[in-house]
Amino acid sequence: MEANNTKILIVDDEKDIIEFLEYNFKKEGYQVHSASNGLDGKEMAIKVNPDLIILDVMMPGMDGVELCKELRDIPELDNTIIIFLTARGEDYSQIAGFEVGADDYITKPIRPRVLIARVKALLKRKSKQAVIDNTIEVNSIVIDKDKRDVKIDDQSIHIPKIEFDLLVLLATTTGKIFTREEIYAKIWGNDVYVSDRTLDVHVRKLREKIGKDFIKTIKGVGYGFNE
């Protein structure tokens, strides 16, 4: 077991699940915190500022979807990875999770090796997102936020303001799926009405400039950026 400063918060109303997850994560060297309901989970998240949170969807009082939505409104937790853990595998449940800002979705029964591998992959993805001196590097793309410059394979590409801001938003957190509502709020602001068609056109134009394989579409949810 290696020393690890990574903090994981588990929020689940089943004591056995918490103990099971705590055992497996501690064995990997992670710092583990837990809460047995949504309200305590929110309080604990604010207190410890975890790197990753695992939420059960079906909890009494404040369920996982509601808790995730509230956590995503806390600026200090912007970069925290959130994974839903539930026995429910229906598409609508997964969509609800992504719509409120979840990064991944794992169904019970839990296979420890699969869960640990998934968590490590998400944490690795987070650490690879190099945002240094206002420069973002993802694969062959280099984005200079100060100069508002984009280079692909060292070739500069002109990208208009809205498309540039959209690229920065998606590329800063590769793998995360941003809902349309999140994109509207962050790019245009809450007071401006933007149609779905407008966003789709900007995404299409951005794909034409950087290549179609970087931006992924999750039907019924929104857009994300591939690694």
Side-chain angles (χ1 to χ4, degrees), residues 63-206:
D63 65 24
V65 174
E66 184 180 355
L67 174 56
C68 181
K69 185 177 181 181
E70 294 198 9
L71 292 174
R72 285 305 185 208
D73 288 333
I74 300 172
E76 291 78 11
L77 300 176
D78 273 352
N79 295 320
T80 298
I81 297 167
I82 297 180
I83 300 175
F84 275 130
L85 182 66
T86 178
R88 299 177 63 183
E90 299 88 350
D91 289 343
Y92 74 85
S93 182
Q94 294 185 27
I95 289 174
F98 285 128
E99 283 181 340
V100 294
D103 296 286
D104 206 349
Y105 198 98
I106 297 174
T107 56
K108 300 175 184 176
I110 306 163
R111 291 181 290 170
R113 288 186 179 180
V114 174
L115 177 61
I116 294 296
R118 197 84 143 262
V119 165
K120 286 182 176 180
L122 287 166
L123 290 169
K124 183 179 180 181
R125 175 191 297 165
K126 178 181 177 182
S127 67
K128 282 173 62 179
Q129 291 156 6
V131 184
I132 304 170
D133 296 329
N134 281 325
T135 298
I136 304 169
E137 297 185 31
V138 185
N139 291 328
S140 59
I141 297 181
V142 179
I143 306 166
D144 188 321
K145 294 196 290 183
D146 281 342
K147 297 179 180 178
R148 301 188 71 82
D149 178 64
V150 177
K151 290 183 179 179
I152 299 181
D153 296 325
D154 293 326
Q155 297 294 317
S156 291
I157 298 174
H158 173 69
I159 297 181
K161 182 182 184 305
I162 293 295
E163 291 162 39
F164 181 89
D165 292 342
L166 178 60
L167 175 61
V168 169
L169 174 65
L170 298 179
T172 299
T173 312
T174 57
K176 173 179 169 57
I177 302 303
F178 288 86
T179 66
R180 289 177 176 274
E181 289 70 24
E182 285 182 291
I183 295 172
Y184 298 154
K186 292 178 182 294
I187 302 300
W188 284 276
N190 292 313
D191 299 327
V192 178
Y193 172 76
V194 181
S195 69
D196 286 350
R197 176 62 178 163
T198 298
L199 175 57
D200 293 340
V201 169
H202 281 296
V203 170
R204 176 175 58 79
K205 289 182 177 179
L206 186 54

Side-chain angles (χ1 to χ4, degrees), residues 4-39:
N4 196 327
N5 293 322
T6 302
K7 293 176 286 187
I8 294 177
L9 171 61
I10 303 163
V11 186
D12 198 304
D13 63 328
E14 295 184 45
K15 183 179 179 181
D16 290 347
I17 294 292
I18 288 179
E19 291 178 349
F20 174 76
L21 292 176
E22 282 183 337
Y23 170 78
N24 282 281
F25 284 126
K26 285 180 178 178
K27 190 167 66 173
E28 295 293 324
Y30 295 111
Q31 297 180 27
V32 185
H33 304 267
S34 63
S36 58
N37 60 71
L39 290 174

Side-chain angles (χ1 to χ4, degrees), residues 39-54:
L39 290 174
D40 289 346
K42 181 179 180 180
E43 184 177 329
M44 183 65 72
I46 294 171
K47 180 180 178 181
V48 305
N49 192 11
D51 298 283
L52 184 142
I53 301 174
I54 296 179

